[in-house]
């Protein structure tokens, strides 16, 4: 029997050197070896050890151990060839400009950089769950990555709503780079909000300053009073109220129906976003230079998922993320100017605020900004520090 075992061991080593692991059971024609390979096929190698007990004797255990080593090696090789599959969820339609300028680009860059070792499936239009529940969806593993819009997420992302404050954001690139600086690992927003939420930022999409687009006539700052305007969150609500507007909070996908039915008189929006939601044909008046807040959204990955990724994959994601942030904001800023011309050519009236009217608006906005910071300070969050650092970062990005 010992001679048989030695012979089997020699044949095992010979087959291993030839890379023919899967044929060991056939070559040996031994039931224990066949059992090991069968279990390897169903991904239960660990459970096989339960069948190796003292009753089969030392010789059979030796043969079985050799088979297990080879089967495990074969299984490891097969596993290494399987791509890492990840899910990404966002709220935007399939062909939304943010998807084209940022998300699809980032996915493609990561997949190319990893040579196909990573496969990312995008789920658009809230197809796996609502944006307001993104933190829960990522934590529960419904999706691995997602688009985090702070205005929808409430208290856990209160500092991240800073972009919604009126009068702070001049353009998409200034907004994107300022938030990126504060939310990257070790940054003040990262430590205060992202780390506790179990999220790792991948890239940022900031938008230009929001303007008002309405079906009701706008002539001056005074004519804004009483307008029912869609808002994206509590921070923007406060800015709109400061000029006499009645904010009505709702998600962008709901806006077309509400606008059509005159549930709202209009929306505070980046002008380029009118087109993906088919809103331009409903707009009769729009402002220029109103700076009615903005928004900054970021894409992130579950920290739990991130920690399990190989270092090379993490590096590929981060490098692609930096390129995506800059590419997207440049394209969005370019489109912003063109969109105003297109809207005006379509028959809408653009109301351009004078410098004096701009100063009047900024005077109305100032208390809102300070109240936002003070309220967060009172809740134990660094609101004032974030406001100061964000302003400094915006100035550097202009």
């Amino acid at each position: 029997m010992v001679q048989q075992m030695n012979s089997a061991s020699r044949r095992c080593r010979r087959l291993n050197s030839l890379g023919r692991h899967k044929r060991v059971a056939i070559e040996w024609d031994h039931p224990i070896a066949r059992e090991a390979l069968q279990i390897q096929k169903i991904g239960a190698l660990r459970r096989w050890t339960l069948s190796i007990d003292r009753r089969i004797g030392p010789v059979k255990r030796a043969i079985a151990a050799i088979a297990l080593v080879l089967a495990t090696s074969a299984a490891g090789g097969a596993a290494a060839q399987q791509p890492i599959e990840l899910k990404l969820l966002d709220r935007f339609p399939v062909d939304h400009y943010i998807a084209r300028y940022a998300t699809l680009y980032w996915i493609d860059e990561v997949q190319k950089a990893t040579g196909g070792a990573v496969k990312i499936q995008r789920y658009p239009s809230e197809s796996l769950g609502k944006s307001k529940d993104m933190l829960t969806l990522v934590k529960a593993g419904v999706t691995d990555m997602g688009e985090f819009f702070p205005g929808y997420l409430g208290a856990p992302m209160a500092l991240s709503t800073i972009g919604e404050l009126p009068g702070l954001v001049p353009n998409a690139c200034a907004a994107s780079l300022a938030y990126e600086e504060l939310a990257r690992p070790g940054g003040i927003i990262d430590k205060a909000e992202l780390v506790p939420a179990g999220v790792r930022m991948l890239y940022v999409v900031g938008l230009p300053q929001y303007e008002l687009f309405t079906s009701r006539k706008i002539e001056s700052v005074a004519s804004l009073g009483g307008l029912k305007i869609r808002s994206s969150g509590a921070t923007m609500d406060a800015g709109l109220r400061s000029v006499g507007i009645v904010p009505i909070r709702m998600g962008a996908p709901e806006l077309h129906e509400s606008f059509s039915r005159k549930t709202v008189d209009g929306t505070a929006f980046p002008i380029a976003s009118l087109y993906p939601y088919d809103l331009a044909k409903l707009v009769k008046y729009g402002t220029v230079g109103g700076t009615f807040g903005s928004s900054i959204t970021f894409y992130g990955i579950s920290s739990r998922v991130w920690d399990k990724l190989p270092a090379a994959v993490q590096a590929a994601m981060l490098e692609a993320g930096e390129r995506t942030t800059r590419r997207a904001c440049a394209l969005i800023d370019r489109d912003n100017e063109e969109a105003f011309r297109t809207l005006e050519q379509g028959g809408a009236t653009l109301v351009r605020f004078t410098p004096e009217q701009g100063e009047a608006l900024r005077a109305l906005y100032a208390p809102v900004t300070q109240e936002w910071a003070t309220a967060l300070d009172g809740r134990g969050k660094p609101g004032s520090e974030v406001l100061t650092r964000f302003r400094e970062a915006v100035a550097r990005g202009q």
Side-chain angles (χ1 to χ4, degrees):
M1 186 65 179
V2 172
Q3 290 177 345
Q4 291 176 346
M5 185 189 76
N6 291 337
S7 176
S9 298
R10 286 193 297 273
R11 294 168 73 183
C12 169
R13 288 192 295 271
R14 185 170 64 255
L15 290 170
N16 184 37
S17 67
L18 295 174
R20 296 164 60 191
H21 303 135
K22 294 184 179 179
R23 299 185 183 178
V24 172
I26 297 173
E27 293 287 336
W28 282 1
D29 194 26
H30 194 286
I32 296 177
R34 286 198 301 273
E35 180 185 358
L37 288 177
Q38 179 62 30
I39 293 173
Q40 178 263 319
K41 289 179 182 178
I42 64 172
L45 283 170
R46 292 180 182 177
R47 290 199 295 272
W48 181 66
T49 57
L50 297 177
S51 68
I52 308 301
D53 58 30
R54 295 175 182 175
R55 289 178 295 174
I56 67 174
V59 175
K60 289 184 178 180
R61 283 202 300 273
I63 296 172
I66 295 169
L68 179 59
V69 169
L70 292 178
T72 304
S73 176
Q81 296 172 2
Q82 295 298 315
I84 299 168
E85 296 185 350
L86 300 170
K87 293 179 288 187
L88 185 153
L89 171 65
D90 65 29
R91 63 195 157 105
F92 301 115
V94 173
D95 60 346
H96 192 281
Y97 68 91
I98 289 179
R100 289 185 282 109
Y101 292 167
T103 308
L104 297 177
Y105 171 81
W106 181 81
I107 290 172
D108 187 56
E109 289 292 290
V110 170
Q111 292 182 161
K112 285 192 299 186
T114 58
V118 176
K119 183 179 179 181
I120 301 170
Q121 177 65 48
R122 178 187 174 224
Y123 293 85
S125 303
E126 300 183 322
S127 52
L128 293 180
K130 297 293 185 182
S131 286
K132 65 182 180 64
D133 300 320
M134 190 62 74
L135 291 171
T136 301
L137 294 169
V138 168
K139 185 176 182 180
V142 174
T143 184
D144 304 301
M145 299 177 284
E147 180 244 349
F148 295 83
F149 183 66
Y152 292 172
L153 299 175
M157 291 289 160
L159 291 170
S160 295
T161 66
I162 188 165
E164 296 181 20
L165 288 169
L168 288 186
V169 171
N171 55 56
C173 281
S176 298
L177 298 179
Y179 186 83
E180 180 190 59
E181 181 179 322
L182 273 58
R184 62 166 50 108
I188 187 169
I189 289 180
D190 176 63
K191 291 190 289 187
E193 293 190 337
L194 273 60
V195 170
V199 174
R200 206 306 183 178
M201 183 192 73
L202 295 169
Y203 61 92
V204 184
V205 182
L207 297 179
Q209 60 189 26
Y210 278 27
E211 299 291 349
L212 297 184
F213 302 99
T214 71
S215 57
R216 283 179 52 183
K217 189 174 184 178
I218 298 174
E219 295 178 305
S220 63
V221 174
S223 68
L224 303 178
L227 288 175
K228 295 179 293 183
I229 298 295
R230 175 261 178 182
S231 170
S232 59
T235 301
M236 186 169 287
D237 288 353
L240 295 175
R241 287 195 190 99
S242 71
V243 294
I245 287 171
V246 179
I248 298 179
R249 208 178 302 177
M250 67 178 67
E254 308 166 57
L255 184 52
H256 187 278
E257 182 177 356
S258 297
F259 208 156
S260 300
R261 295 183 175 182
K262 300 191 184 303
T263 304
V264 296
D265 297 314
T267 183
F269 235 21
I271 187 169
S273 292
L274 295 176
Y275 297 94
Y277 297 103
D278 197 26
L279 298 173
K281 63 185 180 183
L282 303 175
V283 173
K284 295 181 180 178
Y285 295 88
T287 64
V288 179
T291 64
F292 297 97
S294 181
S295 69
I296 300 171
T297 193
F298 71 93
Y299 282 70
I301 184 170
S302 160
S303 298
R304 172 179 47 80
V305 174
W306 174 261
D307 290 341
K308 294 178 182 177
L309 294 176
V313 171
Q314 293 178 342
M317 288 183 169
L318 294 181
E319 290 168 8
E322 289 193 5
R323 292 194 301 273
T324 299
T325 297
R326 287 150 183 78
R327 175 184 189 268
C329 75
L331 292 171
I332 290 169
D333 281 336
R334 179 203 68 186
D335 286 358
N336 200 53
E337 294 301 320
E338 180 61 33
F340 277 111
R341 287 191 290 270
T342 301
L343 187 67
E344 195 166 30
Q345 290 168 4
T349 299
L350 295 182
V351 179
R352 292 174 170 83
F353 290 120
T354 65
E356 293 76 20
Q357 289 172 321
E359 285 297 325
L361 285 170
R362 283 188 284 276
L364 293 170
Y365 296 154
V368 174
T369 303
Q370 189 55 52
E371 286 168 10
W372 176 89
T374 302
L376 287 171
D377 290 343
R379 288 157 50 187
K381 289 199 170 192
S384 294
E385 186 177 357
V386 166
L387 178 59
T388 298
R389 292 196 186 185
F390 187 80
R391 280 174 163 158
E392 292 171 350
V394 165
R396 286 192 294 272
Q398 286 183 280

